[in-house]
Every structure is written in structure tokens, then in C-alpha cells.
Amino acid sequence: MRIPNYIGGEEVASSATRSMPVTNPGTGEIIAELPLSPISELDAAVKVAAEAQKAWAEITVKDRVQVLFRMKTLMEAEVERLAELITVENGKTMPESRGSILRAVECLEFASSLPQIGTGAGLEVSRGVECRSHRFPLGVTVGITPFNFPLMVPLWMAPLALASGNAFILKPSEQTPLSALELAKLFDRAGLPAGLFSVLNGDREIVEAICDHPGIAAIAFVGSTPVARAVHTRGAAAGKRMRALGGAKNHLVVVPDADTEMTASNVVASVTGCAGQRCMAASVLLAVGEVDHVIDRVREKMAAVVAGGDMGPMISRAAWERVSGYIDRAEAGGATLLLDGRGQVAPDASPEGYWLGPCIIDRARPDHESACDEIFGPVLTIIRCDTLEEALAIENANPYGNAAAIYTSSGKVAQHFVDRAGAGMIGVNIGVPVPREPFAFGGWNDSRIGEGEITGMGAIEFWSRSKKVTSKWSTEHSANWMS
Ligand code: NAD
């Protein structure tokens, strides 16, 4: 199957001369061929989107969100089919794929409430003079998304973008383009007018063209930090409104009064969920003081997680080689491998899949590559610390700032950590502290380039622009400062 783009409410075959295979990471099988669209196809998509957006901006927000209600119902009715698609192209386990769909549906629910939460403001600023603030659409907007949540991350963006009166073009990851196409078809079935949700496949060339294109008003990006930075810089230089979320290196702090069973289960779920390919995944465990009993349980529980059973594969052979490389080098450098998942695969898993079992590197130094780099796989690096202050100093020194968590039964210790951790999303006894709608998702420092939110209340600002109207209808005419 050669994957089409989706433009103007229909599948459109790409004229691309360059293409790449799309692989099922659980079997290594090539499932489709992805054309890498040339710039001329971006021009066509923007033209169609701009035309459709004019009429869309004319209807009320109450009417626009009706599409989102229908989309929610459609997605809920088809969770199994959609989950299978995500599992085939991304490798997530079926429970993980289902979970990502339900989180995506929450974004539809949130955007559906725009008529209630986006009412603007009004105030009599002088006697008889009223100032009102209204929100207006931006025009054609674009989302550029990563492989790891092929359906959810696009729905962090599209519902609010559309409810706000924009057209939306999705440039999905070239590793997981199938869910994007399915989303376009679902929006179509939900009654979204043609041209408002398009899918344009491609790689770096098309992303750079998107950044430069004069017909695009705003770009939301989610992916790795170097690409987030490059895309943000290029798009902003072309005068666009930009949001860019980047990579992560998340620290979990365990102190001696943490509940052993709950902490161990939670840490293991954070490391191994989605095979560690989540920007919220635990990556470094900062073990404060005498917590060997917790680490022993983490090891036992993690050893019971099986790649090809309750854990999915790495997304690609390249990812498998990259992540395995960290373990190979740690071993060669004499690190303590508390758990070695290399070669640990469920007996009935396809031998061609990119499987890697969970790994634990213990007693790492804070400057070891496994303690610093975003590995993006099921690898936990443990650093032993004498005090909470030492753990906080290590967490604060890392350049990322997506998530951090503490496990403790003391409210005082938790508050101390919450106040000092250098990340945008903090967990207390929760290893994947995703702030669900209406709270915005997003980190600090190298995990987010630039300011502003991509989801939640703050994102309403991003997907629209405000107009302030100052009016006076009384015929009273005495001179009045600034009116
Ligand atoms: P990626 O940066 O490789 O790709 C993301 C998007 O950018 C894709 O659409 C891709 O086609 C495009 N792209 C890749 N290289 C490019 C280049 N040189 N120039 C222009 N565009 C380019 O990311 P990925 O590997 O698909 O996803 C994993 C990364 O995403 C991890 O770093 C993860 O932490 C991050 N992520 C972050 C969040 C968050 O909310 N902060 C959420 C999910 C994933």
C-alpha cells in the first residue's frame, strides 16, 4: 500500500519520487510505503485549507464543536479498531493503545467545551464605555507530531485548533502515518467540512517548507529537543506563532519512608509503559539513603515484564540499536547491570520484532551518559544519593524539565520536593504525572522551546488571537480622557 495524503476531504496520491517503508515494529514486516511529499503538495494543501477555513470561521463556535461531539462518539465506538491500528504501526500493547485513544478523546471533550470556557471578557471601563475581548481564528495551522502517540498527540492539537475556527494540517511522524490518515477519515465522517483537516506526509524537507510557508499562521510541534529547537527557530523567523515541546529525562526520587509495594509497581510502570518510549517515562531513579528494599522490589517486578508479552517493541531497528548501545557501553565500562533485558523476549513473539526487555543500570555517576541522555527505551538508571538535597541538585542540573516525581509518605517532604524540582510536571507518588485536561501538558527548559501551552486552558490563547472592541453608545459628549 502506498499511503496517500488527505487533502480537500479525500485521499490524494502523492507524486513524490522519494519514499520510505513503514514497518510493524513487532514483526519487522513492511506494512506500507510512505511517499515523502514534495513542496508543491504543501502549496496545494495550504490553498485548499485556506479556502475551507474562510467559511468555517463564519459559523459560530457552538456549531463548530458539534463535529467534535460526533468525533468523540465515533472514536469511542471504534476503540478496538483504532487500537489495533496503533499497535500495528507503533508496537504499543493493546491496553496501551486503548489508553492513548481514551486520553485523546478527553482532548475532544475539552475542546467541545469552548463555547462555555472561551466566552471572552467584557467590562465597562469608563462610564458608558464598554471594552470587550473576542477571540478570532488564525487561519491555516499545522501540527507536526512524533511517532510515540500517533493518534493522541495530533488530538492534543486539532480539536482546539478546529473549534477556534482554524484549518489544521497534520504532518505525522513518517514512522506512524496510518493513524493520521484514519483520523482524517473519522473527521470526515463526523461531518467536518472538506479541507479543514488535512494530512501531509513527509520528512525534514516538508517540515522546513511548512516553517517557511507564508500561508501558514501557526505551528505546533512535538518531538525531540534538537528538532523542536530547529523548527521553533525557523518558524518564528518566518513570523509564525510557534509551540514546540521537546524531549525529556525524567527523575524519580525515592526516600526511605516511601511505601515499598506501591512505589515499586509505580516506578516499573513508568519505566516499561510504552517500552519507555514516552516523554513522561521514568529514566533516572534517585535513591536517597537506605532504600535497597524498594530497589529489590523494582528489580523483581521489572524482571517480570516481558518484551513481546506485556511490553511492546522499540519503534525501529535503529531505535533498538541505539538503546541496546547504551547497555552494551555501560557493561563494557564496568557498570552494575542489575537487570539485563537484552535477548529477553516472550517465546511466541516474532523473532523479527525490535524487542528489548527492561534494563537497570545501578550505581551510575550523575555524569554517565545513561544518567544524562534521553535514551527513550525501557532503561532505568539508578543514582545513589545520601540526601534529598543531593537528589534535588542532580535533578535540577539536568537540562530537560519535563517531569519529576517523588515517592514518600511525608507531606512535608513532598512539598519540599514540589517547590524545588526543576520540571513542569511533578508527581507525588505518581511516576507518570500527566496533567489531564483542563490542565496543560508541558515541561520546562529543554523539554519546551519558547513559552505557552499546547493543551489545556492556555492553548486557547495559542490557537486564536484576541480583538478588543471599545464602544460607546450613549450620546453623552463631554470630553473624556481616552474615549
Ligand atoms: P522526532 O523529533 O524525530 O520527530 C518529530 C517530528 O519531527 C516528526 O514528524 C518528524 O518527521 C519531524 N522531524 C524529524 N527530524 C526532523 C528534522 N531534522 N527537521 C525537521 N523535522 C524533523 O521525534 P520522534 O522520534 O518521532 O519522537 C520521540 C521524541 O518526541 C522524544 O524525544 C520524546 O521525548 C518527544 N516527545 C515529547 C513529548 C512532549 O510532550 N514533550 C511528547 C511526545 C514525544
Side-chain angles (χ1 to χ4, degrees):
M1 170 196 179
R2 197 171 148 93
I3 298 177
N5 290 324
Y6 199 92
I7 297 172
E10 59 185 5
E11 294 184 0
V12 178
S14 173
S15 63
T17 50
R18 293 188 307 131
S19 67
M20 58 177 281
V22 180
T23 307
N24 176 337
T27 63
E29 182 196 352
I30 294 176
I31 49 176
E33 189 68 16
L34 185 77
L36 301 171
S37 308
I39 295 171
S40 58
E41 289 171 5
L42 172 64
D43 289 335
V46 172
K47 199 161 171 253
V48 169
E51 198 51 43
Q53 192 267 337
K54 284 185 204 153
W56 186 238
E58 290 298 314
I59 68 172
T60 66
V61 64
K62 274 177 175 280
D63 285 337
R64 283 188 220 127
V65 301
Q66 298 312 313
V67 170
L68 306 183
F69 285 117
R70 291 194 291 270
M71 182 74 172
K72 168 181 153 68
T73 309
L74 277 174
M75 284 183 60
E76 284 171 340
E78 302 199 17
V79 166
E80 283 309 296
R81 187 177 67 82
L82 295 171
E84 278 163 19
L85 188 62
I86 293 170
T87 293
V88 165
E89 69 172 350
N90 170 279
K92 282 187 204 302
T93 64
M94 280 296 282
E96 289 168 352
S97 293
R98 287 186 201 106
S100 76
I101 295 166
L102 299 178
R103 295 293 83 76
V105 166
E106 287 185 15
C107 299
L108 287 163
E109 289 170 4
F110 176 67
S112 303
S113 66
L114 195 60
Q116 286 73 44
I117 61 177
T119 51
L123 184 72
E124 187 183 40
V125 290
S126 290
R127 200 77 194 109
V129 177
E130 187 208 51
C131 192
R132 279 202 67 78
S133 159
H134 303 263
R135 302 213 70 86
F136 283 75
L138 302 171
V140 178
T141 61
V142 173
I144 301 169
T145 52
F147 78 83
N148 65 333
F149 283 93
L151 194 135
M152 184 184 81
V153 172
L155 288 185
W156 281 358
M157 306 167 177
L160 260 188
L162 292 168
S164 302
N166 304 294
F168 185 83
I169 299 174
L170 175 60
K171 203 308 281 175
S173 165
E174 52 274 55
Q175 297 184 93
T176 54
L178 298 176
S179 301
L181 192 60
E182 191 53 41
L183 268 182
K185 293 179 188 169
L186 283 168
F187 269 122
D188 211 19
R189 285 168 58 198
L192 186 71
L196 290 171
F197 184 96
S198 309
V199 178
L200 190 68
N201 292 298
D203 60 0
R204 176 180 183 158
E205 182 180 294
I206 207 75
V207 170
E208 291 180 346
I210 288 168
C211 292
D212 298 343
H213 200 289
I216 294 168
I219 301 172
F221 174 92
V222 177
S224 59
T225 294
V227 182
R229 187 166 279 124
V231 167
H232 190 280
T233 303
R234 192 162 179 147
K240 295 184 191 353
R241 191 179 279 210
M242 302 296 298
R243 280 289 180 275
L245 299 189
K249 187 75 179 171
N250 304 318
H251 295 70
L252 305 186
V253 176
V254 178
V255 299
D257 71 0
D259 180 276
T260 305
E261 281 307 304
M262 186 274 291
T263 301
S265 301
N266 206 265
V267 168
V268 171
S270 182
V271 176
T272 61
C274 301
Q277 299 168 110
R278 301 192 268 203
C279 65
M280 297 299 278
S283 186
V284 177
L285 192 153
L286 298 166
V288 178
E290 179 39 63
V291 291
D292 278 355
H293 54 293
V294 181
I295 291 173
D296 288 348
R297 283 302 281 151
V298 167
R299 191 200 167 282
E300 279 169 32
K301 285 174 180 282
M302 214 181 288
V305 177
V306 181
D310 38 16
M311 192 176 81
M314 299 290 90
I315 184 67
S316 63
R317 180 161 301 286
W320 182 89
E321 284 170 0
R322 184 176 46 75
V323 179
S324 305
Y326 279 95
I327 309 304
D328 297 346
R329 290 191 297 280
E331 184 179 46
T336 311
L337 269 188
L338 213 54
L339 185 64
D340 183 356
R342 290 171 298 180
Q344 302 297 315
V345 187
D348 54 346
S350 163
E352 307 301 324
Y354 311 130
W355 307 108
L356 178 68
C359 302
I360 303 177
I361 301 170
D362 195 8
R363 300 188 182 279
R365 286 171 35 145
D367 61 354
H368 190 261
E369 62 169 12
S370 68
C372 300
D373 298 356
E374 182 180 37
I375 297 177
F376 223 55
V379 179
L380 181 67
T381 301
I382 301 178
I383 302 176
R384 306 287 181 141
C385 306
D386 289 330
T387 63
L388 179 56
E389 295 316 312
E390 188 187 338
L392 272 165
I394 293 168
E395 192 282 331
N396 284 182
N398 101 87
Y400 296 101
N402 216 41
I406 188 159
Y407 293 91
T408 178
S409 49
S410 158
K412 188 175 165 196
V413 170
Q415 191 60 53
H416 186 85
F417 180 79
V418 167
D419 290 345
R420 290 164 182 76
M425 296 177 279
I426 305 294
V428 175
N429 297 318
I430 293 184
V432 183
V434 173
R436 310 240 294 261
E437 320 297 321
F439 301 99
F441 189 98
W444 287 1
N445 308 330
D446 281 2
S447 296
R448 180 211 312 243
I449 313 303
E451 283 306 313
E453 309 290 9
I454 206 163
T455 67
M457 293 298 283
I460 297 172
E461 302 284 325
F462 178 67
W463 295 110
S464 59
R465 54 183 167 177
S466 68
K467 191 178 271 187
K468 276 71 65 179
V469 181
T470 306
S471 41
K472 176 160 82 74
W473 292 101
S474 101
T475 52
E476 179 270 318
H477 60 273
S478 66
N480 203 339
W481 190 76
M482 262 187 57
S483 71

